[in-house]
């Protein structure tokens, strides 16, 4: 720059607010940091290079040393150990040291060298008689560390040699010790001789094996051997590999054992018990495992490893055989025997329950499809079982693995487990109201968690009978629930089981198990046992149970409804424990508790032991409840579908009639344009109706149907069908078609109707007729017409698509029922009675034999299968014989009546819907709802006289009067206020009418529920005319 004439220098100012010294300091610090980082990187590179060079030089030195020592070894001992003497195995000799140093398992020459060494060792042992003498037992005290070190390394080298050459040796791996010259047998038998339980170094060897993950090597060896074409050539004798496995596994029970805790991932359960079908391949090992109590020790190990779950297990042999499922199958297969041993404690049973629950919970699929086709079963599948895994899964177990798991969870196993867990709680006084202690809660929680998961996985019919009758499950669970209920102190769910940590009601798990088991017992229990002997629970206890179930259901369905209560089933998958989730358990309890409560309601309907009101929830009559009923997926709507008995019967009838009304209204538009008229001969009413109405479609059946009757002279009867003639038609056709003389139906000793099993012998088109009669009954209910048809309860079950059981048999054949009970309680040898699994049908003089089971004519009834025989006979009479007739009747019935409309009623209530109340006509109710026309009124003398006359009539005459004026002999179920249109009395003549006019009979218009009553002057004349009119049976000519 040019000189400005100013000799002073100006100070530079940093506008950022920092001095130049500070800026230079920051720059210097950053440079120093980068320099340190560079120097650190250089040092790390130098150290890494030194390590690599050191490792390389070390490897090179070892290689050279091995070559040098190998030459020495060959010179001193021979290249095939031909110079080896017995003293070479002593601690003072370097034979084993050199051999183990130069040994390379991958080298065939070294492999042969090791095999020859093992052969020489076994020879020296045979000569000396003791392996300790060969290894220098005299110097063991002073040189035990040297001996133990050599022995453990030598034994491991033998296993490693087989492992490295397993593909080459795969045809030799499953040979018995008799194959003495085979290399694999020599190596394995040498290992077995080195780990005998009495040797002083056995703990050292086993611990060293565990540290070196030897069980994983053995797993690979076993799996390779299983792929061999010569597998199974040991001819039933224990193999050398099985010998080694047995000795290693048995060490866990050796005393004294100084082995520290093993690594879970390298343990025997994780590596060996996860081999598919282990016991099938090693039956001798299975025998030792079960008889020596090894299962108790290893189940304790598995329980302690459990929190880590599947992270400990090796990969499965394939997707169909995951390790955890194989571990479960192998554990279950020996569990029953282990639990049956005398030394099995409560703690062992708890460990089994927790471990099996955990692994069962992890299974990806349900095993309910695996029902053995050859299993003799007296029951058809339980209705309403939850299929816990409907959705397709990515993981599926092999069928044989599924069969192993499902087959092992049998009655024997469950009996042993439940009885061991309940040892300490069997003698708790049921009258004691104390809260259960911690041990009782632990036992109940473990049993319920396992059985809850089991019930969702297996077919219930395979295990229920054993649980119900071979264990104390029902009385103990009931005692537990009863005391908790009476003390109002239920434990939380987390207190009952370690599988759940959430805070939920403690009654969930016990109810999820108790309900299906007790329900199963009720299907087998006969009436004498339930009502008279009061087994399995007293009637007082049953009343308490009803209260518990009712409160639980209301809580689950109304107070805290879960999402799955809307019809969606809870999902499970293999990655998460869903079956023991609170939502899943709530849904399960909602289902099984409602099934049990419905069954108890059926028992109460047969013979009342408690008030019907005890089944109703008082909250179910509120306006809030009824406002939701008609709306899908609301709480009230779900209760009506799942637990309708919580709602009083009259309320359900109101809902039912409103549903019918809505459906009739929606069909009204179609009916207005298509009105079907039929001419029906009274003396051929069934045939004419069948030939004409059978042609109508389902849509037409819901529409308006009008009938014109033709009398016996071929003349059409007077009267216009405004609905009344159709009512008369419905009552007459039902009376004719359901008459036992017509041959389609039979009646029980109580005069209740059910399909005739031999209907095909009378009517060629009998199945079509049953379908038609189902349509007729459906039309009557659809139109709200009551018909006087007393159906048998077991047949009404078919309208609800339910199965009938032994306790339904008295309504059909009380004599057969008594004979079956005689067999059930027979104390002698039943085979002496000469019974076989066949039944003899005797219909209209024609006898036919029918087998209850395939080959039943050759299968004799004995004490062990008499229960099966009893239930098969009951099933044949109640279900099989009338199956075709019932199925066709149901098809016709469901053309007009939707299943969900009647699902809210039990069989006894359904009979009331069909026929109305069995009580006589309530004259006072009819009087309070009657209307008057033509000058009549409530205080008119003729009206007052009429009601006096009507009250004086007999019940049968009152029914005839009701039919005369309404077309139906029964009134509406909820009272005459629901009669549409209302009953009306119209004056048929003026007060000053002539005597001829007053001599006329009363007439009616049934379509309008109208009585046309002349103003009679005396009570006697009114009664005479009224009785004559209602008994004339002249069709509609009187109208």
């Amino acid at each position: 720059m040019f000189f400005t004439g100013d000799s002073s220098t100006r100070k530079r100012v940093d506008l950022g607010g920092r001095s130049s010294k500070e800026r230079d300091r920051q720059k210097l610090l950053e440079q120093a940091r980068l320099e340190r980082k560079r120097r650190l990187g250089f040092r790390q590179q130098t150290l890494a290079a030194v390590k690599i060079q050191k490792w390389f030089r070390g490897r090179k030195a070892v290689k050279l040393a091995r070559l040098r020592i190998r030459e020495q070894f060959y010179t001193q001992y021979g290249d095939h150990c031909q110079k080896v003497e017995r003293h070479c195995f002593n601690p003072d000799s370097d034979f084993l040291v050199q051999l183990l140093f130069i040994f390379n398992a991958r080298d065939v020459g070294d492999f042969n060298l090791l095999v020859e060494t093992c052969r020489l060792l076994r020879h020296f042992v045979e000569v000396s008689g003791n392996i300790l003498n060969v290894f220098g037992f005299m110097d063991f005290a002073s040189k035990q560390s040297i001996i133990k070190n050599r022995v453990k390394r030598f034994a491991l080298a033998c296993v490693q040699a087989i492992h490295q050459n397993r593909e080459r040796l795969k045809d030799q791996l499953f040979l018995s010790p008799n194959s003495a010259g085979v290399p694999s047998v020599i190596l394995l038998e040498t290992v077995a001789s080195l780990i005998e339980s009495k040797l002083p170094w056995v703990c050292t060897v086993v611990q060293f094996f565990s540290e070196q993950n030897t069980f994983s090597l053995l797993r690979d060896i076993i799996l390779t051997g299983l792929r061999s074409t010569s597998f199974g050539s040991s001819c039933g004798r224990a193999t050398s590999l099985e010998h080694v496995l047995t000795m290693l596994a048995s060490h866990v029970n050796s005393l004294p054992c100084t082995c520290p805790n093993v690594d879970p991932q390298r343990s025997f359960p994780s590596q060996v018990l996860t081999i598919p079908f282990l016991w099938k391949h090693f039956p001798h090992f299975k025998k030792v495992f079960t008889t020596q109590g090894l299962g108790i020790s290893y189940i304790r190990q598995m329980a302690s490893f459990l929190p880590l779950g599947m992270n400990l297990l090796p990969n499965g042999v394939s997707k169909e055989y995951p390790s955890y499922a194989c571990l479960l199958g192998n554990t279950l297969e020996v569990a029953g025997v282990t639990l049956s041993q005398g030394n099995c404690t409560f703690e062992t049973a708890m460990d089994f329950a927790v471990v099996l629950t955990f692994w069962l919970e992890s299974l990806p699929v349900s095993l309910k499809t695996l029902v053995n086709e050859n299993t003799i079963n007296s029951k058809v599948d339980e209705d309403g079982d939850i299929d816990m895994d409907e959705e397709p899964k990515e993981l599926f177990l092999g069928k044989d693995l599924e069969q192993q798991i499902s087959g092992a969870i049998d009655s024997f196993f469950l009996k042993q487990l439940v009885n061991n867990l309940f040892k300490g709680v069997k003698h708790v006084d049921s009258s004691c109201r104390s809260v259960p202690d911690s041990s009782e809660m632990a036992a109940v929680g473990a049993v319920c968690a396992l059985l809850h998961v089991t019930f969702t996985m297996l077919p219930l019919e395979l295990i229920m009978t054993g649980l119900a009758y071979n264990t104390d499950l029902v009385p103990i669970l009931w005692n537990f629930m009863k005391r908790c209920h009476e003390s109002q102190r239920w434990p939380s769910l987390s207190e009952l089981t370690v599988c759940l940590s959430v805070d939920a009601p403690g009654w969930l798990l016990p109810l999820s198990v108790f309900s299906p088991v007790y329900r199963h017992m009720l299907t087998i229990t006969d009436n004498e046992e339930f009502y008279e002997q009061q087994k399995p629970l007293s009637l007082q206890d049953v009343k308490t149970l009803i209260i518990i179930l009712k409160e639980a259901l209301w809580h689950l369905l109304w107070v805290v409804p879960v999402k799955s209560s809307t019809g969606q089933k809870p999902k499970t998958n293999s990655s998460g424990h869903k079956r023991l989730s609170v939502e899943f358990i709530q849904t399960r309890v909602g289902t099984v508790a409602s099934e049990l409560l419905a069954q108890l309601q059926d028992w109460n309907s047969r013979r009342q032991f408690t008030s019907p009101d005890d089944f109703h929830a008082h909250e179910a009559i509120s306006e809030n409840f009824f406002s939701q009923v008609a709306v899908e997926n609301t709480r009230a709507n779900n209760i009506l579908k799942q637990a309708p008995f919580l709602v009083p019967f009259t309320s359900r009838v109101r809902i039912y009639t409103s549903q019918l009304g809505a459906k009739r209204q929606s069909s009204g538009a179609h009916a207005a344009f298509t009105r079907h008229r039929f001419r029906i001969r009274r003396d051929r009413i069934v045939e004419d109706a069948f030939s004409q109405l059978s042609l109508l479609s389902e849509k037409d059946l819901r529409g308006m149907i009008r009938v014109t009757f033709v009398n016996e002279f071929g003349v059409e009867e007077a009267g216009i069908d405004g609905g009344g003639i159709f009512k008369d038609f419905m009552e007459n056709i039902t009376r004719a078609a359901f008459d036992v003389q017509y041959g389609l139906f039979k009646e029980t000793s109580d005069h209740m109707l059910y399909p005739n099993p031999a209907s095909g012998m009378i009517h060629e088109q009998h199945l079509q007729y049953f379908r038609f009669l189902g349509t007729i009954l459906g039309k009557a209910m659809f139109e709200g017409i009551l018909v006087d048809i007393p159906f048998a309860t077991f047949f009404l079950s078919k309208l609800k698509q339910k199965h009938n059981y032994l306790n339904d048999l008295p309504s059909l054949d009380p004599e057969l029922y008594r004979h079956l009970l005689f067999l059930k309680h027979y104390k002698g040898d039943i085979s002496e009675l000469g019974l076989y699994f066949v039944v003899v049908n005797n219909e209209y003089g024609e006898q036919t034999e029918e087998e209850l089971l395939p080959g039943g004519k050759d299968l004799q009834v004995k004490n062990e299968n008499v229960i099966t025989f009893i239930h098969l006979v009951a099933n044949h009479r109640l279900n099989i014989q009338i199956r075709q007739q019932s199925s066709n009747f149901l098809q016709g019935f469901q053309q007009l009546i939707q299943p969900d409309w009647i699902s809210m009623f039990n069989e006894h209530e359904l009979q009331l819907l069909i026929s109305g109340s069995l009580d006589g006509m309530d004259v006072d109710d009819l009087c309070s709802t009657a209307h008057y026309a033509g000058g009549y009124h409530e205080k008119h003398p003729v009206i007052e006289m009429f009601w006096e006359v009507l009250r004086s009539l007999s019940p049968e005459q009152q029914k005839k009067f009701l039919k005369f004026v309404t077309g139906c002999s029964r009134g509406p179920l909820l009272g005459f206020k629901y009669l549409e249109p209302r009953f009306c009395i119209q004056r048929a003549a003026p007060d000053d009418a002539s005597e001829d006019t007053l001599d006329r009979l009363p007439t009616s218009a049934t379509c309008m529920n109208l009585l046309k009553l002349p103003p009679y002057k005396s009570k006697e004349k009114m009664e005479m005319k009224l009785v004559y009119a209602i008994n004339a049976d002249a069709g509609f000519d009187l109208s």
Side-chain angles (χ1 to χ4, degrees):
M1 294 180 61
F2 295 102
F3 178 65
T4 59
D6 186 0
S7 60
S8 62
T9 57
R10 294 184 179 182
K11 186 177 181 179
R12 298 180 63 182
V13 179
D14 190 344
L15 297 179
R18 293 178 300 174
S19 67
S20 59
K21 293 181 179 180
E22 183 179 355
R23 183 175 63 252
D24 293 341
R25 184 167 58 252
Q26 293 293 336
K27 184 176 180 181
L28 183 61
L29 290 174
E30 179 64 19
Q31 290 175 350
R33 187 184 67 78
L34 293 175
E35 184 64 24
R36 284 197 303 273
K37 185 176 180 180
R38 186 186 63 80
R39 291 196 300 270
L40 177 62
F42 178 74
R43 284 196 300 271
Q44 290 175 340
Q45 290 178 1
T46 303
L47 290 174
V50 170
K51 287 182 179 180
I52 293 173
Q53 293 171 11
K54 182 179 179 180
W55 180 86
F56 179 78
R57 288 194 300 269
R59 296 287 294 177
K60 185 177 181 180
V62 169
K63 186 176 181 180
L64 293 175
R66 281 205 174 107
L67 290 174
R68 178 172 51 81
I69 292 177
R70 186 181 292 273
E71 291 178 0
Q72 294 177 6
F73 182 87
Y74 288 163
T75 302
Q76 186 174 358
Y77 302 108
D79 55 353
H80 295 292
C81 297
Q82 58 266 38
K83 300 178 182 179
V84 174
E85 303 291 342
R86 170 182 166 182
H87 65 83
C88 295
F89 290 91
N90 290 338
D92 296 329
S93 172
D94 60 356
F95 167 69
L96 283 180
V97 176
Q98 292 184 8
L99 175 65
L100 295 174
F101 180 70
I102 67 173
F103 176 72
N104 180 7
R106 295 183 178 88
D107 187 89
V108 177
D110 287 356
F111 176 82
N112 294 330
L113 195 63
L114 183 65
V115 171
E116 181 62 21
T117 303
C118 291
R119 189 190 65 79
L120 290 171
L121 175 61
R122 296 183 66 197
H123 171 71
F124 295 146
V125 171
E126 290 177 5
V127 173
S128 64
N130 192 333
I131 195 170
L132 291 174
N133 295 331
V134 177
F135 280 97
F137 181 69
M138 302 300 296
D139 300 326
F140 184 77
S142 59
K143 299 182 179 180
Q144 61 175 329
S145 60
I146 296 176
I147 296 175
K148 288 182 178 179
N149 182 59
R150 291 183 181 181
V151 169
K152 71 180 184 182
R153 292 176 57 209
F154 181 64
L156 179 64
C158 293
V159 177
Q160 290 174 335
I162 298 175
H163 181 263
Q164 290 294 338
N165 297 273
R166 62 187 183 276
E167 291 295 338
R168 182 167 60 88
L169 302 173
K170 63 182 180 180
D171 294 335
Q172 307 175 9
L173 297 179
F174 281 86
L175 296 179
S176 68
N178 293 337
S179 305
V182 178
S184 63
V185 173
I186 295 174
L187 293 172
L188 289 169
E189 288 299 320
T190 301
V191 174
S193 65
L194 294 174
I195 57 175
E196 290 183 359
S197 59
K198 296 181 180 180
L199 295 176
W201 56 67
V202 63
C203 279
T204 302
V205 176
V206 173
Q207 175 61 23
F208 186 66
F209 274 16
S210 178
E211 294 171 355
Q212 298 300 316
N213 203 13
T214 306
F215 281 123
S216 176
L217 303 182
L218 291 172
R219 172 186 172 85
D220 293 339
I221 293 171
I222 294 170
L223 293 177
T224 302
L226 294 177
R227 295 194 297 269
S228 169
T229 56
S230 62
F231 170 67
S233 60
S234 60
C235 300
R237 293 185 293 269
T239 64
S240 297
L241 184 55
E242 190 171 9
H243 191 195
V244 172
L245 269 180
T246 303
M247 298 188 72
L248 279 175
S250 302
H251 180 70
V252 72
N253 281 353
S254 300
L255 294 175
C257 178
T258 58
C259 296
N261 294 331
V262 297
D263 181 356
Q265 201 162 6
R266 300 178 176 183
S267 65
F268 170 80
S270 298
Q271 296 295 334
V272 180
L273 284 182
T274 52
I275 296 174
F277 315 108
L278 178 70
W279 310 122
K280 176 183 176 182
H281 309 315
F282 299 117
H284 300 280
F285 181 28
K286 178 183 179 181
K287 183 177 180 181
V288 173
F289 193 90
T290 54
T291 56
Q292 294 187 6
L294 300 182
I296 296 176
S297 300
Y298 285 115
I299 200 68
R300 189 177 305 119
Q301 277 190 21
M302 285 188 271
S304 64
F305 303 162
L306 205 56
L308 300 177
M310 283 179 280
N311 297 328
L312 299 175
L313 304 183
N315 294 328
V317 295
S318 68
K319 290 183 178 180
E320 291 78 17
Y321 299 93
S323 293
Y324 71 91
C326 296
L327 174 62
L328 174 63
N330 291 328
T331 305
L332 280 169
E333 197 171 331
V334 296
V337 179
T338 303
L339 290 166
S340 64
Q341 295 173 354
N343 60 343
C344 181
T345 63
F346 171 79
E347 288 73 19
T348 300
M350 282 291 296
D351 289 339
F352 264 108
V354 172
V355 169
L356 296 179
T357 301
F358 182 86
W359 293 121
L360 273 172
E361 173 77 338
S362 303
L363 289 179
V365 293
S366 170
L367 307 179
K368 287 193 173 186
T369 57
L370 297 174
V371 183
N372 188 347
E373 294 179 356
N374 297 322
T375 300
I376 297 177
N377 204 320
S378 63
K379 285 164 41 47
V380 174
D381 294 344
E382 295 288 335
D383 296 325
D385 284 342
I386 296 179
D387 184 5
M388 297 302 175
D389 296 282
E390 279 193 343
E391 294 193 352
K393 300 289 190 303
E394 295 181 359
L395 297 177
F396 291 95
L397 301 184
K399 291 298 181 183
D400 47 356
L401 179 56
E402 290 184 348
Q403 190 62 53
Q404 182 192 27
I405 295 172
S406 60
I409 307 179
D410 56 8
S411 297
F412 174 74
F413 160 71
L414 292 174
K415 172 185 175 181
Q416 299 300 328
L417 179 62
V418 172
N419 289 344
N420 274 291
L421 284 173
F422 283 157
K423 280 180 180 177
V425 298
K426 282 186 177 181
H427 305 294
V428 177
D429 185 7
S430 60
S431 63
C432 177
R433 294 197 176 189
S434 60
V435 179
D437 57 25
S438 58
S439 62
E440 184 179 358
M441 286 194 293
V444 170
V447 167
C448 291
L450 175 62
L451 292 180
H452 165 75
V453 177
T454 302
F455 290 168
T456 66
M457 300 294 297
L458 296 176
L460 298 184
E461 64 271 15
L462 297 181
I463 56 179
M464 278 298 183
T465 302
L467 279 175
Y469 291 100
N470 296 331
T471 71
D472 294 320
L473 181 67
V474 167
I476 289 179
L477 282 185
W478 170 244
N479 183 19
F480 174 83
M481 293 191 300
K482 181 181 178 182
R483 286 186 290 135
C484 291
H485 171 73
E486 291 178 346
S487 64
Q488 292 299 308
R489 294 179 64 184
W490 290 90
S492 66
L493 208 55
S494 57
E495 291 179 278
L496 283 179
T497 174
V498 296
C499 301
L500 283 166
S501 58
V502 295
D503 188 17
W507 44 261
L508 282 172
L509 265 181
L511 273 182
S512 73
V513 173
F514 176 86
S515 296
V517 178
Y518 183 59
R519 178 173 178 261
H520 178 81
M521 295 183 78
L522 290 181
T523 62
I524 301 176
T525 301
D526 56 67
N527 293 337
E528 182 180 352
E529 289 173 328
F530 185 84
Y531 296 111
E532 307 301 336
Q533 300 176 12
Q534 299 192 18
K535 294 179 180 179
L537 297 182
S538 68
L539 294 181
Q540 187 59 44
D541 282 345
V542 174
K543 294 179 183 179
T544 305
L545 174 60
I546 290 171
I547 295 174
I548 294 175
L549 293 171
K550 179 177 67 175
E551 292 177 351
L553 282 171
W554 186 258
H555 179 83
L556 292 174
L557 300 177
W558 183 264
V559 180
V560 286
V562 293
K563 293 180 181 178
S564 55
S565 66
T566 62
Q568 299 175 352
K569 294 182 179 180
K571 300 176 182 177
T572 62
N573 56 53
S574 58
S575 61
H577 291 192
K578 297 297 183 182
R579 294 180 183 89
L580 277 174
S581 66
V582 174
E583 180 179 332
F584 190 95
I585 298 174
Q586 286 178 338
T587 304
R588 171 74 179 171
V589 172
T591 300
V592 297
S594 63
E595 291 173 348
L596 175 57
L597 195 54
Q599 194 166 16
L600 290 174
Q601 189 187 37
D602 289 341
W603 281 94
N604 194 55
S605 298
R606 292 191 193 102
R607 188 191 303 179
Q608 187 169 316
F609 58 85
T610 188
S611 170
D613 294 338
D614 290 344
F615 293 89
H616 304 153
H618 300 299
E619 300 88 342
I621 60 175
S622 65
E623 288 301 323
N624 181 31
F625 181 87
F626 277 99
S627 64
Q628 300 184 27
V629 165
V631 183
E632 283 291 327
N633 296 331
T634 58
R635 292 178 298 171
N637 184 265
N638 292 327
I639 287 176
L640 206 61
K641 292 178 179 178
Q642 189 167 342
F645 34 77
L646 295 179
V647 184
F649 174 63
T650 54
S651 301
R652 281 178 279 139
V653 173
R654 286 172 51 197
I655 297 167
Y656 165 76
T657 53
S658 66
Q659 290 174 331
L660 282 181
K663 191 66 176 180
R664 284 197 299 266
Q665 186 176 2
S666 65
S667 304
H670 173 74
F673 297 102
T674 54
R675 181 177 300 177
H676 299 277
R677 295 185 178 276
F678 301 105
R679 296 179 78 253
I680 304 294
R681 293 171 293 176
R682 282 192 178 271
D683 55 349
R684 301 284 294 175
I685 186 172
V686 178
E687 292 77 8
D688 286 357
F690 172 73
S691 62
Q692 298 179 65
L693 270 67
S694 297
L695 302 176
L696 298 182
S697 66
E698 181 177 321
K699 190 175 183 180
D700 292 334
L701 287 170
R702 288 200 176 97
M704 188 179 297
I705 296 175
R706 292 295 175 250
V707 172
T708 299
F709 277 118
V710 178
N711 62 22
E712 63 269 24
F713 303 109
V715 179
E716 290 188 1
E717 294 182 359
I720 298 174
D721 189 1
I725 299 180
F726 179 72
K727 289 182 184 179
D728 183 64
F729 161 75
M730 293 298 292
E731 185 154 343
N732 279 279
I733 191 174
T734 52
R735 183 168 60 244
F738 290 97
D739 192 321
V740 294
Q741 299 300 321
Y742 198 73
L744 291 176
F745 278 80
K746 298 181 73 173
E747 64 179 9
T748 66
S749 57
D750 297 329
H751 306 291
M752 311 300 283
L753 297 175
Y754 68 97
N756 181 5
S759 58
M761 300 175 66
I762 299 176
H763 294 276
E764 184 178 352
Q765 293 181 292
H766 68 119
L767 296 182
Q768 291 86 340
Y769 268 95
F770 275 106
R771 182 183 176 90
F772 165 69
L773 292 183
T775 303
I776 289 295
L777 180 63
K779 181 63 173 177
M781 295 183 66
F782 186 79
E783 299 294 342
I785 300 173
L786 298 177
V787 290
D788 191 6
I789 312 174
F791 287 117
T793 306
F794 67 89
F795 174 63
L796 289 172
S797 297
K798 299 306 176 183
L799 297 185
K800 292 174 59 64
Q801 298 175 271
K802 288 173 59 177
H803 191 79
N804 293 306
Y805 297 101
L806 175 64
N807 43 50
D808 298 299
L809 188 58
S811 64
L812 170 62
D813 194 336
E815 185 178 0
L816 175 62
Y817 179 72
R818 286 193 298 270
H819 291 164
L820 293 179
L821 289 190
F822 169 78
L823 288 179
K824 182 178 180 181
H825 301 292
Y826 187 69
K827 301 299 182 183
D829 185 0
I830 292 182
S831 61
E832 296 176 353
L833 301 178
L835 298 174
Y836 291 84
F837 278 77
V838 294
V839 291
V840 179
N841 300 319
N842 190 353
E843 301 291 348
Y844 302 108
E846 181 178 335
Q847 284 193 353
T848 56
E849 270 194 1
E850 193 169 346
E851 291 184 332
L852 297 173
L853 289 170
K857 62 181 179 182
D858 300 319
L859 181 61
Q860 192 172 15
V861 180
K862 302 177 181 179
N863 292 70
E864 54 267 25
N865 62 11
V866 65
I867 297 298
T868 299
F869 174 77
I870 289 171
H871 287 279
L872 285 177
V873 171
N875 178 57
H876 177 79
R877 290 300 309 276
L878 293 167
N879 301 298
I880 303 300
Q881 275 194 325
I882 61 173
R883 180 170 51 194
Q884 286 186 318
Q885 292 88 339
S886 300
S887 176
N888 280 272
F889 191 94
L890 180 63
Q891 290 176 21
F893 181 75
Q894 290 184 343
Q895 283 188 296
L896 291 121
I897 302 297
Q898 297 174 194
D900 58 303
W901 291 349
I902 61 171
S903 63
M904 67 181 88
F905 304 101
N906 64 26
E907 290 80 357
H908 300 273
E909 295 168 340
L910 184 56
Q911 181 66 62
L912 294 178
L913 291 182
I914 295 171
S915 302
S917 174
L918 296 177
D919 299 332
M921 186 181 78
D922 189 345
V923 179
D924 292 334
D925 182 32
L926 182 62
C927 178
S928 64
T929 59
H931 290 181
Y932 306 98
Y936 284 155
H937 53 81
E938 185 178 356
K939 299 299 183 179
H940 195 283
V942 175
I943 295 301
E944 291 179 343
M945 187 167 53
F946 167 77
W947 291 117
E948 290 179 13
V949 169
L950 188 58
R951 288 187 178 94
S952 67
L953 298 180
S954 67
E956 189 62 30
Q957 289 175 327
Q958 289 177 351
K959 289 175 64 176
K960 289 183 177 181
F961 166 78
L962 194 58
K963 182 184 178 182
F964 178 72
V965 295
T966 67
C968 182
S969 60
R970 299 188 183 224
L973 198 58
L974 298 180
F976 286 103
K977 65 180 179 180
Y978 289 95
L979 184 66
E980 291 291 340
R982 294 285 184 90
F983 174 60
C984 181
I985 304 176
Q986 178 180 328
R987 187 165 59 180
D991 290 335
D992 56 352
S994 65
E995 286 296 326
D996 291 340
T997 303
L998 294 178
D999 200 43
R1000 293 175 55 189
L1001 292 173
T1003 58
S1004 65
T1006 54
C1007 56
M1008 300 297 295
N1009 298 325
L1010 177 67
L1011 174 65
K1012 300 174 183 178
L1013 182 67
Y1016 299 112
K1017 300 299 183 181
S1018 67
K1019 179 178 176 182
E1020 291 75 14
K1021 187 173 184 179
M1022 177 181 289
E1023 181 176 355
M1024 180 186 67
K1025 295 293 185 180
L1026 186 61
V1027 170
Y1028 184 89
I1030 64 177
N1031 286 299
D1033 198 20
F1036 283 81
D1037 289 338
L1038 285 177
S1039 65

